[in-house]
Each structure stands twice: as structure tokens, then as C-alpha cells.
Amino acid sequence: MDGDDEVSAQMIDEIYANGGDIDSQQPHRPIIINGEQLDVEAYAALYTGRTKIRRLMFIADHCDNNVAMQLEALRMAYDEVKKGENTQLFREVVNKIDGRLGQGYGPDPGWSEAVERRAEQRKEKLENELNAYRTNLIKESIRMGYNDFGDFYYAHGALGDAFKNYVRTRDYCTTSKHIIHMCLNAILVSIEMGQFTHVSSYVGKAEQSPDALDAITVAKLRAAGGLALLEAKKYKLAARKFLETGHELGNSYSEVIAPQDIATYGGLCALASFDRAELKALHSLFLLLNSKVIDNLNFRNFLELVPEVRELIHDFYSRYVVLRLTFGFFLFVLVLVATFVELSYRFLSGRSSWSQFYWSHYASCLDYLGNLKANLLLDIHLHDHVEMLYNDIRHKALIQYTHPFVSVDLRMMANAFKTSVPGLEKELEALITDNQIQARIDSHNKILYARHADQRNATFQRALQTGGEFDRDVRSMLLRASLIKHDYNLKSSRKF
């Protein structure tokens, strides 16, 4: 027991200060630092087709301060584009390389001419076949002809023409599966063109045929819908879409998105937009205390692919489970009791306030965010939203930190958030002005005092409202009973 007492005392000292480092008591917990240079090769391996090339070019465009990474991305983009038939995209890559990779990565006019010659022959053949199908009025053949044209234009980078031909197949679709196939093609091209309003539209059209949707197709539609909502900055709706994405997606949609992206986009959007109750449900996705609390096995599988995001959500939400998982139930209860006694003594003796005790790992959470930021800014879909998401997450952390307390020591809070007291005051002032925190700041003593609502008056108002609703319902029931008693029924007249 002496050993347990020593451990408990040490734990109390560690968690006594808000934002204290409990990680020192968890040697088995993985320390994930992702601030180093992005592994471009491993990242590119997650994708296929046009999106792989576009993502590599995006990385090259946004890492000017890292020439080695830029050239590596361009080299891989060059090798990938030569596997296809898009000569326009090939010339873009060559122009960006600008001879910096040697003669082996030059214009190669012979390859371009051969591809364009084959493209002309292929186009002429497809036109002849489509004309023949139109003459014979065979709907299925016409549909396949337009679909082949769409594939042809997409492969050669003519996205506008590809979209038109894919959409034309709708008039010749005879089954629900044909419509879904058309929608998936239109969604793919719309994402490449950045037309996310079209993405939302065709996701909705595909979902109107639920009987023809298999699990993989549903997962693809959820992922595409999440991307469209993310681009529209509807982060809460986007998070829900990503959470609903089934694990059946796997690598089947690598021409658009990787499973790791589902976890990253969904996790960050959830942290930025979900309230505490919703975040608790998200948090329970990967807790293994009891199988009954795992509400969504799908998203938990995605989170396992990106430990950084999983730990980020874990640290933002709560520390209780960390203690329980690490030390077992008995010591967990012992630590809680001992901590409560210690803090009660300190509080009653005037040595400290309850504002020094809280359970979330905000410092660790913000560290994870800081380490992830450089790589997230290289993501083709997320880069425009990183700053806004980060600000929303930080503001939510500040609000969540202050919520349980009557008063908060700003020095201790600044230490927990790894910022200066003047900087923290400015952030809190903005949140108070925006009415997100009901509090006032004592700048002299550096204390935040909460402005709690008049509970007595609020209860009285709720009682009056409930009484009014009850009176209205009783009057409605009496009126209905009276009408029935006097056989006063209004029947709708039949229309012929």
C-alpha cells in the first residue's frame, strides 16, 4: 500500500496543476510527433490516377522553401503522368520541373506525339460507333457509347467534355445501377473541376435509388458528400458525413480520397464543430472499455490509421479514461478520491481554487495540432480550411476549459494553453464580446469570473412556460371531447 500511496501522491502533484503532464506516468503511451518533413512517396501511394498527380503538383507548388521535397513531388508526378494519356497535364509538369531533374525528365515530344496520334484514332473510332448506335436506336449501346466518350475525354484531361458525355448517359439509363454509375462518374469529374455544388447534387440523385446501392457505393457517396460540405465550410455536416462513411470504402476510392483522409477531415471538423455531447460520442468510438460503448466501428477503423488524430480527439475530450486504462479501476478510484480530498483541502484553506483542476489535455492537444499543421497545409482539399478549423478548435477548448468554474486563474490557464497572459486575455475578450463565454475579466488580479444566469429566475420562467403549455393542451383536449360529444365532425368532400 505504501507503494500505491506514493504513486497516488505523485499523480496528484502531476494533475493538480491544470494542463499538467500526465504523460510521464504513461510510459507505454505512444508519443506521436509529425512535425518532420512529409514522406511524399508514402503519401502519394495512397492515391491513384489524376488526383495522385494533382496532389503531387499541389505539394510542389506549396513547398517552395523545401526544394528537395518539391523536386521529389515533381519527379513522381512526371513518372505517374507518363503512365496515362494526358499530354496537357504532362506539359504542365514539365514546365514546373524546368530542367531541374536532368534530361530524363524533359519534354519528350516523341511520347506526346504518339499519344496524341492514338487519341485521334481512338476518338474517330468512338464517333463512328456512337453514330451507328444512334442509327439503330439501341438505348444501352448509346449509353455505353457516351460513357466511353466520357472515359476518353477524362483520360485526356478534357474534364468539361467528359462531364457532358457522362451526364448525357442519363437519358439512356434503364436501371437504377446505370443511374448510380452515371452519378459516380459525374461526381468524380466534378471533384476534379472543383464544382462541388454538382457533387452535392449528384450525391443526392444517387441516394434516391437506395435499393441499388451496395456498401462500397454508399461509402463513396458519403465521402464525396463530406468533401462537398467541407468545401462549403459546413464543418458540422461534413463531420457527420465522414463519420457515416463505412469501413467498406477501404482503398476503393483512391482516385478521390484515402481512408486516412476520412479520419483527418472527419476528426478535425468534429473537433471544430461538435458540442461536448457529440464529441463524447465520437470519443467513444475508439475506447475499448466495453464493446457496448463503441457506437461507430466504421470511423474507429479509420481513426486507427491516423493515430495523431485519434490522440488529438482523446486529449481534447477527457483524461478520465487515460487514468482508468493506465492504472486499473481500483487505482483510478483511489486517485480520484485522493485528488478530491487534496483539492478540497487546498480550496478550503485558501491555497488554491478549483480553476487549477481540470481533466483535458489541452497542452498536448495543441501540440498535436501544431505538429500536424505543416502537413495539413499541403493537403489539396484541407489547406484552405486549416486556419479556420484551428481557430474554432482553440476557441472551443477555451470555452470548455472555463465552463465548469466560477473563477479561473488566467496565469494557470495561460500555462495550460502555452500562451502569454496578455495574449490569453485578448482571446477571452473576443469570446466574451461574441457572447460565447459568459464571464468578466479582472485584469488586475488576472482572474476570470463567470457570469452564471439567475437559476432561480430561469426555473421560475420554465415553470410558467410549462404551465402555459399544459393549459393549452388541456383546453385543446376539452374542445376535441366537446366536438366529439356533439357529433360535430367535419368530413372532407370527395373530389371527382
Side-chain angles (χ1 to χ4, degrees), residues 202-272:
Y202 283 99
V203 167
K205 289 177 182 178
E207 290 176 341
Q208 291 174 5
S209 304
D211 296 337
L213 295 173
D214 55 32
I216 295 177
T217 304
V218 170
K220 289 181 178 181
L221 294 175
R222 295 285 188 275
L227 280 178
L229 291 167
L230 174 64
E231 291 295 331
K233 298 183 179 180
K234 298 178 180 178
Y235 299 129
K236 191 166 189 176
L237 296 176
R240 288 175 178 169
K241 283 292 183 183
F242 289 126
L243 289 174
E244 293 170 1
T245 304
H247 67 277
E248 296 87 359
L249 181 71
N251 296 317
S252 63
Y253 213 23
S254 59
E255 66 272 22
V256 172
I257 196 169
Q260 288 82 350
D261 295 332
I262 300 293
T264 303
Y265 300 168
L268 291 177
C269 288
L271 284 176

Side-chain angles (χ1 to χ4, degrees), residues 319-339:
R319 171 185 293 182
Y320 282 103
V321 178
V322 176
L323 289 172
R324 182 167 179 176
L325 286 172
T326 306
F327 297 100
F329 180 76
F330 174 75
L331 191 54
F332 170 74
V333 174
L334 181 63
V335 169
L336 284 182
V337 173
T339 303

